[in-house]
Amino acid sequence: MRKYLMSVAAAVSVAVLASSNAMAAGGAVKPPEQQWSFSGLFGTFDRGSLQRGFQVYNEVCSACHSVRLLAYRNLMDIGFTEDQVKKIAAAKEVTDGPNDEGEMFKRPARPSDRFVKPFPNEQAARAGNNGAFPPDLTLMTKARVGGADYLHALLTGYKQPPKDKKVAEGMSYNLYFAGNQIAMAPPLSEGAVEYADKTKATVAQMAHDVTTFLSWAAEPELEWRKRMGVKVILFLLILTGLLYGVKRKVWSDLH
Amino acid sequence: MSDSKFKNPIVAWIDYRLPVFSFMEHELHEYPTPKNLNYWWNFGSLAGIILVIMIVTGIVLAMHYTAHTAFAFDSVERIMRDVNYGWLIRYVHMNGASAFFIVVFIHIFRGMYFGSYKSPREILWILGVVIMLIMMATAFLGYVLPWGQMSFWGATVITNLFSAIPIVGDSIVTLLWGGFSVDNPTLNRFFSLHYLLPFVLVGIVVLHIVALHQHGSNNPIGIDTKSPQDTIPFHPYYTVKDLFGLGVFLVLFFGFVFFAPNYLGHPDNYIEANPLVTPPHIVPEWYFLPFYAILRSFTADALIYLPISWLMSAKLAGVLAMFASIMVLFILPWLDHSPVRSARFRPLYKQFFWLLVIDCIILGICGAKPAEAPWTYIAQAATAYYFLHFIVILPLLGFFEKTKPLPTSISEPVLKGGGGASSAASAKPMEKA
């Protein structure tokens, strides 16, 4: 009886784990799994992909979407040199001040500035986007069930709507978006950016790169975290093994 | 003074005036502990260690956190990005809450299985239930602080529960909020209380340990220690065993912290709180799910609600049932009046114990599901069984269960397993520096 009950308990707990993953699919299709350079115990961000992904964000996404938690200086962490970062920042304008005359003034952005937002506020963003609000993308891969897989699927998931589905004016049909109607028009098209490293800019490639970039934006500590994690776990395994030996030794006169 | 048991003259001098060293010697070193405790007994000290980890990481987080609706979310992200090791401290604190509940739930179920709540340990048990209640309040308050979508909407749902109380309900909710919706005053008082309660917890944990040391630990056989040969000094036997257990725990814990830090969290909490957008499913953290399922079981058409439907609204019934699911633990020592403590000698109780564990897991699954068929029906049945277990089955078992004969002493079964030479060795009371 006890064995039986235990196995029921085990089966139930497996079901809990499985259901917690399936829980929030919310009507849309489950995004297919992708190969990511940063997944797994030893994953690191592919630097080439990160820099290409930044280019995609900078030339395409940033027209509507902010990444307000990133500063330009952070780009040095993904392999840009200080001069490159200065140039990237200087291409944007920020409002500073007040100066000695009490006036606000415009100046080119510096590496210490946060990424400049495309719209000053939500109202302006909605006014410029047919009433929709393009969300900030800094934490997007952490803020959606499915994470990077979901983001990649969304960017490549624009399809012709099935005949029985009506898509409202100004909306697009997307296989992976909850409810399948998304206000964002297909953002990527073949050759939308010209990669400096001559990688062919297919939609799938750009989606992969910009998702890698945004995964880094959401978890800039990921590589450090995993590197430290491997060391900490190894240390703890050895320590725990030693403690087990000590425990055996101390208890030996009782057994 | 010369006859002090401490050789170090400074230690002896201090101890003569303030007996802290005698106290530690008595409570941590000599403290006689049953020799047959198994690894389920590791979870008490683990819980204590996690409490310390939570307080230390929490104090550091509070140095960088801003309790204001306009800045809270960004200040947490600043901790994650710009504070030295901020991501580590925050992930330890975040996953520490889950670890705390896992460990405490196991600790509680261990107490139930081996009858640790029975005389003379009723107050020890009651203090433990108080600790769990305060832990739950603290965890709920803490979950609101990052001011994500689940923070905000979780706070809204849970504080709204109090509005079910007749007459004064709405005033209580206004008082909790500090206004007429969950807003900046709510966040401020939640932060204040979240910082206060862990120290209250420390105080009650001290009482919990005082009560424990009065009669010593229960043990897997559940009979009292009778002679010195039933016990061993806490140090070094259980200090080293607890340390080994801590090592195993830390491997698992840091596995989550470093490799799946957000696995137990909800993605919606990485979206900043927005009072105008309600998330499609508002779910609490996993450790509240069984209680959440009990709360939601009481719908207007639920069978379990029918008998009390003339008395109160379904909402109030749900709220009361949720609190009752914990309150019932306070009277557990009197509901279960069987004189035998350990489930090892209670064949029926053992089966009902595992049924209760499964029931709680089922409730947890139902709590995570949307409130629709078939989950609502499963949750209602599981809720009914939960209370049936405590209020009907346990008292009846005390009358009708045929228990197995108890061993005469703790040493007896241990010695039987041993063999000639070693049993002679362990027949002496253990002395170890």
Side-chain angles (χ1 to χ4, degrees):
Chain A
M1 180 66 184
R2 183 174 169 200
K3 284 237 169 65
Y4 168 73
L5 287 176
M6 298 268 256
S7 58
V8 171
V12 167
S13 44
V14 169
V16 180
L17 291 177
S19 65
S20 67
N21 291 333
M23 192 165 59
V29 181
K30 194 176 180 332
E33 255 179 59
Q34 304 287 327
Q35 287 281 330
W36 298 110
S37 53
F38 51 87
S39 57
L41 291 189
F42 304 96
T44 53
F45 292 109
D46 175 342
R47 286 297 182 277
S49 187
L50 274 181
Q51 296 191 10
R52 288 195 300 273
F54 167 69
Q55 191 184 346
V56 175
Y57 167 76
N58 202 31
E59 292 175 17
V60 182
C61 319
S62 69
C64 304
H65 292 277
S66 55
V67 281
R68 64 190 177 86
L69 298 168
L70 282 187
Y72 290 107
R73 64 181 162 81
N74 296 137
L75 291 174
M76 282 190 271
D77 296 344
I78 63 171
F80 287 102
T81 64
E82 194 170 350
D83 287 335
Q84 283 174 315
V85 171
K86 277 183 181 158
K87 240 172 96 188
I88 291 166
K92 305 280 178 182
E93 218 171 37
V94 294
T95 306
D96 202 348
N99 61 14
D100 293 345
E101 280 79 45
E103 310 281 344
M104 303 302 282
F105 60 91
K106 299 264 191 193
R107 61 160 174 81
R110 291 191 285 253
S112 57
D113 284 315
R114 302 266 169 170
F115 272 52
V116 175
K117 296 181 195 173
F119 300 101
N121 52 53
E122 183 178 335
Q123 285 78 359
R126 285 190 190 276
N129 285 286
N130 202 13
F133 178 46
D136 185 87
L137 296 181
T138 333
L139 290 167
M140 195 45 84
T141 59
K142 279 168 113 175
R144 293 292 181 276
V145 175
D149 289 338
Y150 168 76
L151 197 53
H152 184 273
L154 186 85
L155 289 172
T156 55
Y158 287 89
K159 298 275 172 344
Q160 282 300 318
K163 292 213 168 56
D164 56 327
K165 282 225 176 175
K166 265 238 165 316
V167 176
E169 182 73 25
M171 305 289 271
S172 302
Y173 183 83
N174 192 306
L175 199 55
Y176 300 101
F177 192 68
N180 299 119
Q181 279 201 62
I182 186 167
M184 174 167 71
L188 301 171
S189 58
E190 190 88 14
V193 299
E194 197 174 317
Y195 281 137
D197 62 1
K198 302 284 183 280
T199 306
K200 199 160 179 294
T202 62
V203 170
Q205 179 68 42
M206 286 185 288
H208 186 89
D209 291 340
V210 80
T211 303
T212 304
F213 171 72
L214 289 175
S215 299
W216 166 79
E219 300 188 279
E221 88 296 340
L222 179 138
E223 294 181 351
W224 187 14
R225 168 158 61 77
K226 291 188 174 180
R227 260 201 325 271
M228 191 194 275
V230 170
K231 285 182 218 158
V232 168
I233 299 286
L234 278 178
F235 167 80
L236 283 172
L237 283 174
I238 295 168
L239 178 74
T240 306
L242 289 174
L243 283 171
Y244 183 65
V246 177
K247 191 255 161 192
R248 287 281 298 256
K249 183 90 178 47
V250 168
W251 281 69
S252 60
D253 57 0
L254 283 184
H255 293 306
Chain B
M1 248 182 86
S2 56
D3 57 342
S4 170
K5 55 187 162 183
F6 298 104
K7 287 197 193 85
N8 184 322
I10 298 173
V11 170
W13 187 89
I14 293 174
D15 195 71
Y16 185 66
R17 286 150 183 87
L18 179 72
V20 280
F21 295 100
S22 293
F23 173 79
M24 290 197 307
E25 176 73 16
H26 187 241
E27 300 299 333
L28 295 173
H29 186 177
E30 297 160 356
Y31 175 58
T33 314
K35 64 206 284 185
N36 61 336
L37 300 188
N38 56 31
Y39 277 103
W40 295 113
W41 262 262
N42 277 50
F43 290 88
S45 71
L46 269 185
I49 292 165
I50 298 172
L51 177 60
V52 173
I53 292 174
M54 293 303 278
I55 288 178
V56 171
T57 51
I59 288 173
V60 178
L61 288 174
M63 294 173 189
H64 301 281
Y65 171 76
T66 309
H68 187 289
T69 53
F71 307 108
F73 187 86
D74 284 7
S75 75
V76 171
E77 277 306 315
R78 208 187 79 82
I79 291 170
M80 295 297 290
R81 288 153 194 276
D82 293 334
V83 172
N84 291 333
Y85 294 96
W87 57 269
L88 177 59
I89 297 163
R90 193 220 167 195
Y91 277 156
V92 166
H93 197 73
M94 214 171 102
N95 287 283
S98 285
F100 206 175
F101 277 99
I102 292 173
V103 164
V104 162
F105 286 155
I106 293 174
H107 187 61
I108 291 170
F109 277 122
R110 189 272 286 150
M112 287 186 181
Y113 187 85
F114 295 107
S116 300
Y117 47 79
K118 293 188 182 185
S119 174
R121 297 186 183 82
E122 297 96 326
I123 293 182
L124 172 61
W125 169 263
I126 287 169
L127 288 168
V129 180
V130 172
I131 288 171
M132 183 177 72
L133 266 178
I134 295 180
M135 254 179 81
M136 295 173 106
T138 312
F140 163 69
L141 295 169
Y143 192 63
V144 177
L145 302 185
W147 209 242
Q149 273 289 67
M150 278 299 161
S151 300
F152 179 87
W153 290 99
T156 303
V157 169
I158 301 299
T159 48
N160 255 318
L161 295 181
F162 292 89
S163 69
I165 302 169
I167 305 165
V168 290
D170 287 326
S171 312
I172 291 178
V173 174
T174 307
L175 186 71
L176 288 172
W177 285 344
F180 299 100
S181 67
V182 174
D183 207 335
N184 199 47
T186 325
L187 181 61
N188 273 303
R189 61 194 56 197
F190 277 25
F191 180 49
S192 170
L193 294 173
H194 182 70
Y195 205 113
L196 167 72
L197 288 184
F199 296 97
V200 176
L201 217 46
V202 169
I204 300 174
V205 166
V206 168
L207 291 179
H208 191 65
I209 295 171
V210 171
L212 171 71
H213 283 220
Q214 178 71 5
H215 292 284
S217 291
N218 182 31
N219 65 80
I221 297 175
I223 58 173
D224 291 327
T225 53
K226 293 196 174 101
S227 67
Q229 46 173 297
D230 288 346
T231 64
I232 46 178
F234 189 79
H235 179 78
Y237 292 104
Y238 285 108
T239 41
V240 72
K241 194 175 179 179
D242 281 353
L243 277 176
F244 167 59
L246 177 66
V248 174
F249 164 78
L250 287 179
V251 169
L252 295 172
F253 175 64
F254 279 116
F256 272 98
V257 167
F258 285 111
F259 298 106
N262 294 303
Y263 182 79
L264 295 167
H266 197 291
D268 273 15
N269 229 27
Y270 281 108
I271 305 170
E272 190 168 2
N274 184 348
L276 301 176
V277 180
T278 318
H281 300 298
I282 301 175
V283 280
E285 289 284 82
W286 70 266
Y287 38 81
F288 290 140
L289 289 176
F291 306 100
Y292 192 53
I294 292 175
L295 169 77
R296 292 196 306 182
S297 298
F298 286 80
T299 52
D301 57 351
L303 263 177
I304 42 172
Y305 170 57
L306 276 183
I308 42 173
S309 58
W310 57 276
L311 191 63
M312 59 181 90
S313 66
K315 184 181 175 184
L316 180 59
V319 174
L320 290 182
M322 183 174 71
F323 283 105
S325 68
I326 298 167
M327 292 305 153
V328 75
L329 297 178
F330 280 113
I331 50 167
L332 176 60
W334 295 277
L335 290 172
D336 175 11
H337 54 94
S338 168
V340 178
R341 290 200 191 105
S342 173
R344 285 192 184 173
F345 305 101
R346 302 183 60 189
L348 281 176
Y349 172 74
K350 186 192 279 184
Q351 292 176 23
F352 282 112
F353 169 84
W354 287 110
L355 279 177
L356 179 72
V357 173
I358 293 169
D359 189 60
C360 290
I361 294 170
I362 290 173
L363 279 171
I365 297 171
C366 294
K369 298 291 179 186
E372 56 198 32
W375 299 108
T376 39
Y377 300 116
I378 299 173
Q380 284 159 8
T383 300
Y385 183 78
Y386 181 90
F387 288 105
L388 192 75
H389 173 90
F390 286 105
I391 296 174
V392 180
I393 295 174
L394 283 188
L396 287 182
L397 279 183
F399 292 116
F400 298 112
E401 187 177 31
K402 213 171 129 41
T403 56
K404 293 182 191 166
L406 293 174
T408 48
S409 80
I410 289 174
S411 303
E412 183 196 47
V414 173
L415 294 181
K416 248 188 267 170
S422 67
S423 62
S426 57
K428 291 195 301 275
M430 298 314 302
E431 303 246 341
K432 206 152 197 173

